[in-house]
């Protein structure tokens, strides 16, 4: 199987300069691999560092040591040491991220929020918007909301817009931070189906889910983040 | 490490060791970076940290005390700005670059019509068909959300937000490859700022512009830029991917800066 992501000995400590420079060790020795078509679930209690690991893979948080190798355009690149330009490239072409909360851009319609990753990948506007509409429809977002900015949507609606934005493009690696947390049963089932379809398409996924039932449905493997606990 | 190949592989602008001293005050010290086509760089930092000084050196309006700026001309050759001839320099200012001032009165001619403000840049690059100039000017007014019925009015009759949008239209009409902006949303009230930011964000994306944006507003940096440089006392103290610097700031000063604003 093709290894899409290889994390080796990654380490993260925050230094809180405004609190007298105290060190907040989060994780150390983080090591795992994800192959194409596989969904690995990160488990562990609140504060264990699950979201931090996803953010390090996405290049949103710095990595203080180790390597985070990602298969980008057929070559392994180390996100931990890459130039910003290369990380941005990898985000456009390789790594998608569904964050726990939607970071809404003011005044941009939900349909365009979802279509944007396709536009960046060079898909024509009409086609991008048509595909965005189809996905929003599948996630039960009523059509009357499509032209509105999501900032006034309910928590669950915002999360579904966020999911649609993450799932619309054909990126080979997807990071999912509690994608089903604020959804009802019907919409959770839609997300489980979307994840299954991504697996079929060979996408490598790393997910954080608290719900045992969802985890059982999507996980090919579980990685226990508490084994990476950093000594305080 | 692999190189990602493509047209944007060649730097557009290269700054090396830029320094500016005023007597004993070093307003800007040893600043080096590379900007690629289509990249948006934000320069943030407190008042007096040297942001505007740096921007003026980058845009050849201020001679550095040390270091140099090189720019890739349209023929593909990287040239030292200090060694350009007058005609080449004029070409950059009129066509290839835009400069958006915080105060629109500095970037516009306040007493001539909006249409002429936009059309003037086209005439400077040799356009002479009045009908085409006017048509292009109106389509740009539309793009920056100014009612075309106001095309014959002078910007002194416009609101602050409209003036700023007109200044942007005037700058972008010649399809520059690089735009400098010094506090483009400063002095506007919050709702007007939000609208201007959305507009700038979509124009920069659509046109694939490179831009260097000076701002003390981190929300502006987050929304517009790919990369940030944090300045303090004339030096760059931290630099990186915008969301990384804002979400995981490393330097004490950057942590202070980030903690003192509301999350974007
Ligand atoms: N930007 C940051 N600055 C300082 N500390 C942070 C930052 N981000 C996370 N932390 C700290 O790192 C630790 C791990 O946080 P993280 O969000 O990764 O946990 P988690 O496992 O995802 O928890 P949860 O299940 O509650 O979402 C926490 O102690 C958190 O406070
Ligand atoms: N022409 C000048 N002569 C003397 N000192 C100058 C001159 N221009 C700038 N300075 C000084 O250089 C320092 C940097 O100024 P600069 O205008 O670059 O700051 P800035 O970061 O843009 O600040 P602000 O956010 O307030 O616009 C300041 O201490 C300023 O007083
Ligand atoms: Mg979390
Ligand atoms: Mg200034």
């Amino acid at each position: 199987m093709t290894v899409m992501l290889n994390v080796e000995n990654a380490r993260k400590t925050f230094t809180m300069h405004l609190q007298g420079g105290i060190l907040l060790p989060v994780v150390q020795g983080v090591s795992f691999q994800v192959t194409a078509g596989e969904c690995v679930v990160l488990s562990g209690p609140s504060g264990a560092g699950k979201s931090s690991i996803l953010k390090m893979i996405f290049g949103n948080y710095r990595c203080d040591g180790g390597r985070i190798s990602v298969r980008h355009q057929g070559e392994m690149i180390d996100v931990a040491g890459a130039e910003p330009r290369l990380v941005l490239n990898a985000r456009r072409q390789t790594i998608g991220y569904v964050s726990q909360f939607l970071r809404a851009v003011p005044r941009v319609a939900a349909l365009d929020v979802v279509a944007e990753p396709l536009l960046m990948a060079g898909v024509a506007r009409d086609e991008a918007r048509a595909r965005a509409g189809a996905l929003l429809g599948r996630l039960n977002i009523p059509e009357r909301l499509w032209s509105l900015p999501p900032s006034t949507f309910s928590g669950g609606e915002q999360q579904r817009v966020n999911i649609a934005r993450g799932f619309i493009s054909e990126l080979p690696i997807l990071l999912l931070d509690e994608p089903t947390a604020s959804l009802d049963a019907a919409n959770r089932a839609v997300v489980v189906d979307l994840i299954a379809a991504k697996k079929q398409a060979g996408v490598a996924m790393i997910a954080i889910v608290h719900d045992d039932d969802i985890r059982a449905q999507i996980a090919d493997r579980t990685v226990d983040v508490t084994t990476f606990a950093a000594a305080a | 490490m692999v190189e990602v190949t493509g047209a944007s592989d060649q730097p557009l602008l290269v700054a090396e060791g830029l320094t500016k001293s005023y007597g004993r005050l070093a307003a800007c010290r040893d600043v080096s970076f590379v900007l690629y086509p289509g990249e948006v760089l934000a320069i943030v930092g407190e008042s007096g940290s040297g942001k505007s000084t740096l921007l003026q050196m980058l845009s050849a309006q201020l001679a550095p005390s040390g270091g140099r700026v090189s720019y890739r001309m349209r023929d593909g050759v990287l040239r030292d700005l200090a060694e350009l001839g007058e005609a080449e320099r004029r070409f950059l200012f009129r066509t290839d670059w835009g400069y958006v001032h915080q105060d629109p009165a500095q970037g516009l001619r306040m007493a001539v019509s909006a249409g002429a403000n936009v059309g003037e840049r086209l005439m400077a690059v040799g356009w002479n068909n009045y009908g085409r100039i006017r048509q292009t000017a109106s389509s740009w007014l539309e793009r920056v959300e100014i009612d075309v019925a106001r095309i014959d009015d002078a910007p002194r009759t416009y609101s602050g937000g409209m003036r700023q949008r007109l200044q942007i239209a005037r700058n972008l009409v010649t399809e520059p490859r690089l735009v400098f902006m010094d506090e483009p949303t400063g002095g506007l009230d919050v709702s007007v700022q939000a609208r201007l930011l959305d507009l700038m964000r979509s124009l920069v994306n659509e046109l694939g512009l490179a831009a260097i944006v000076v701002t003390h507003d981190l929300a502006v940096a987050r929304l517009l830029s790919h990369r940030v440089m944090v300045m303090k006392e004339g030096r760059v103290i931290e630099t990186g991917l915008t969301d990384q610097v804002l979400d995981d700031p490393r330097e004490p000063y950057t942590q202070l800066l980030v903690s003192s604003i509301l999350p974007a």
Side-chain angles (χ1 to χ4, degrees):
Chain A
M1 276 317 258
T2 316
V3 174
M4 296 303 292
L5 172 74
N6 186 17
V7 184
E8 297 163 276
N9 268 311
R11 180 155 53 78
K12 179 75 195 165
T13 296
F14 289 103
T15 308
M16 317 291 277
H17 289 290
L18 304 183
Q19 276 88 46
I22 58 164
L23 297 180
L24 190 73
V26 180
V27 286
Q28 65 181 15
V30 180
S31 302
F32 64 92
Q33 288 191 342
V34 187
T35 58
E38 184 183 36
C39 179
V40 169
V41 169
L42 301 182
S43 71
S46 180
K50 304 178 297 294
S51 297
S52 297
I53 292 172
L54 288 196
K55 289 174 182 175
M56 286 156 73
I57 297 168
F58 196 59
N60 178 216
Y61 280 2
R62 293 176 232 252
C63 182
D64 299 324
R67 289 174 68 85
I68 298 179
S69 309
V70 162
R71 184 171 303 280
H72 171 61
Q73 304 283 291
E75 313 246 8
M76 293 309 266
I77 60 163
D78 179 11
V79 175
E83 285 282 306
R85 209 160 71 88
L86 182 54
V87 176
L88 287 176
N89 236 314
R91 289 182 185 177
R92 265 191 289 270
Q93 298 174 317
T94 301
I95 318 175
Y97 172 46
V98 177
S99 56
Q100 205 166 347
F101 301 99
L102 177 68
R103 196 167 239 160
V105 178
R107 285 220 315 163
V108 179
L111 193 66
D112 293 317
V113 169
V114 175
E116 190 180 66
L118 289 182
L119 294 177
M120 304 238 278
V123 175
R125 185 170 293 270
D126 287 347
E127 192 198 329
R129 297 182 110 223
R131 280 167 61 184
L135 195 49
L136 284 172
R138 196 161 165 209
L139 284 156
N140 303 303
I141 300 285
E143 198 164 344
R144 66 185 158 77
L145 293 181
W146 297 0
S147 59
L148 302 177
S151 47
T152 57
F153 290 10
S154 75
E157 286 164 352
Q158 290 197 13
Q159 183 58 345
R160 278 177 280 150
V161 170
N162 204 20
I163 289 166
R165 182 181 160 94
F167 278 82
I168 196 160
S169 42
E170 278 139 25
L171 303 174
I173 300 175
L174 258 188
L175 313 175
L176 308 169
D177 197 342
E178 317 227 14
T180 57
S182 42
L183 304 187
D184 58 25
N187 284 308
R188 281 204 299 271
V190 175
V191 173
V192 169
D193 285 347
L194 289 174
I195 291 174
K198 288 290 184 195
K199 277 193 207 181
Q200 278 292 312
V203 174
M205 283 171 283
I206 305 100
I208 301 172
V209 279
H210 277 122
D211 185 316
D212 291 335
D213 178 45
I214 303 279
R215 178 181 312 150
Q217 293 181 64
I218 67 169
D220 294 302
R221 210 146 48 82
T222 299
V223 168
D224 181 1
V225 169
T226 54
T227 60
F228 308 133
Chain B
M1 195 67 49
V2 290
E3 267 294 325
V4 176
T5 50
S8 61
D9 230 36
Q10 303 246 7
L12 183 63
L13 180 142
V14 181
E16 294 165 281
L18 280 180
T19 297
K20 182 73 193 178
S21 309
Y22 292 111
R24 279 169 50 218
L25 173 79
C28 194
R29 311 184 212 194
D30 196 23
V31 176
S32 301
F33 68 90
V34 171
L35 186 79
Y36 288 88
E39 222 179 9
V40 180
L41 172 70
I43 304 174
V44 304
E46 67 194 350
S47 181
S49 57
K51 306 180 297 294
S52 297
T53 302
L54 176 58
L55 198 68
Q56 282 165 358
M57 289 192 283
L58 294 171
S59 56
Q61 301 181 70
L62 183 67
S65 316
R68 62 176 176 167
V69 183
S70 311
Y71 181 75
R72 192 168 309 278
M73 306 295 280
R74 288 208 177 177
D75 62 6
V77 179
L78 197 64
R79 301 277 304 278
D80 185 337
L81 287 185
E83 283 161 19
L84 291 183
E86 196 42 45
E88 289 168 312
R89 210 189 277 257
R90 222 175 10 243
F91 168 78
L92 288 182
F93 282 112
R94 284 185 178 167
T95 313
D96 221 29
W97 287 356
Y99 196 103
V100 176
H101 298 265
Q102 171 171 353
D103 176 5
Q106 271 184 272
L108 291 172
R109 294 217 286 139
M110 296 304 281
V112 309
S113 72
N117 263 287
V118 178
E120 194 175 52
R121 285 261 291 185
L122 292 171
M123 291 192 282
V125 296
W127 287 41
N128 52 22
N129 178 322
Y130 178 77
R132 255 185 81 215
I133 293 173
R134 191 171 167 88
Q135 198 189 347
T136 306
S138 1
S139 88
W140 266 98
L141 290 187
E142 229 166 282
R143 264 180 112 161
V144 299
E145 304 170 15
I146 291 174
D147 184 354
V148 177
R150 303 286 310 264
I151 189 168
D152 294 319
D153 296 344
R156 60 177 156 69
T157 69
Y158 280 16
S159 72
M162 286 169 75
R163 288 179 187 180
Q164 202 53 305
R165 281 179 273 131
L166 179 62
Q167 195 189 177
I168 288 169
R170 174 179 162 99
N171 272 283
L172 298 188
V173 69
T174 56
E175 296 177 14
R177 290 189 298 157
L178 174 59
V179 178
F180 301 95
M181 305 191 217
D182 196 348
E183 303 281 4
T185 60
L188 300 173
D189 64 51
V190 176
S191 66
V192 177
Q193 274 187 22
R195 183 168 175 202
L196 185 68
L197 266 179
D198 285 342
L199 179 73
M200 291 195 299
R201 191 178 115 94
S202 52
L203 287 174
V204 163
N205 281 342
E206 277 164 33
L207 304 172
L209 287 176
I212 302 180
V213 185
V214 164
T215 178
H216 62 268
D217 185 345
L218 298 188
V220 171
R222 187 181 291 273
L223 219 53
L224 278 186
S225 71
H226 301 117
R227 263 195 311 143
V228 274
M229 280 191 340
V230 183
M231 290 190 73
K232 184 173 188 260
E233 291 161 14
R235 268 185 229 284
V236 174
I237 57 155
E238 181 159 3
T239 174
L241 210 57
T242 299
D243 61 272
Q244 191 179 76
V245 171
L246 298 184
D247 293 339
D248 183 11
R250 173 171 290 166
E251 293 296 318
Y253 176 72
T254 315
Q255 291 189 0
L256 184 65
L257 213 58
V258 167
S259 72
S260 53
I261 57 138
L262 298 168

